[in-house]
Amino acid sequence: MGEPSSREHRVVNIRRVNPESLPPGRGFTHAVVADGRVYLSGQTALDRSGRIVAGDVVAQFEQALGNLVEALNAAGGHPDQLVTLTVYVVDLDGYQARLRDIGDVWRRLVGNEYPAMAAVGVSRLWDVEALVEVQGVAVLDGGTG
C-alpha cells in the first residue's frame, strides 16, 4: 500500500518570479520557487536596460551575481540561503587570475559563507559579450515555497 501508483503524483506549489528590477526573461523565468527551494536561472552581466555592462570579468561577475541575488530576494530568499552555485566562465584562466577581486565582490554581495560551487569553462555564453554567468539554488527557511 505504501507505493503510489504511476498515475499518482504529489502536487507541488510552484511560483515563478520575474522581478521588474531585472531585464525581462527572454524565454525563461528568473526564479522558480518549489517545495521550499528557489531555482535561479543563469544570470549574466545584463544591466536594467538589457545590455551587458562594460568592464572585465570582475565587473561582469559583480553585475551577474547582483542580478542573481536580486532574483533570490524577489523570490523571498537571502544570499545566505544559497546551497549551490555554478559559475560559467569564457576565460577560466582570466577568472582564476582575478579570484581575490572576485572574492571581494562575493563577500560584499553575499557574505563570508560559500555554497557548494563549481566553475566551468565554456566557449561562449548566450549573450556574446558576456564573460561570466552564474546559476544557483537556495533553500528557504522552513522549507516551504
Side-chain angles (χ1 to χ4, degrees), residues 9 17 44 50 55 60 89 103 113 137 139:
H9 66 278
V17 180
T44 59
Q60 286 202 17
V89 185
E113 299 295 327
V137 177
V139 176

Side-chain angles (χ1 to χ4, degrees), residues 101-136:
D101 297 323
I102 288 167
D104 289 342
V105 168
W106 177 270
R107 285 184 291 283
R108 190 166 23 84
L109 295 180
V110 178
N112 292 322
E113 299 295 327
Y114 293 90
M117 294 179 72
V120 180
V122 297
S123 61
R124 70 157 282 207
L125 296 164
W126 184 265
D127 298 300
V128 175
E129 303 87 9
L131 302 175
V132 64
E133 181 170 337
V134 293
Q135 176 184 20

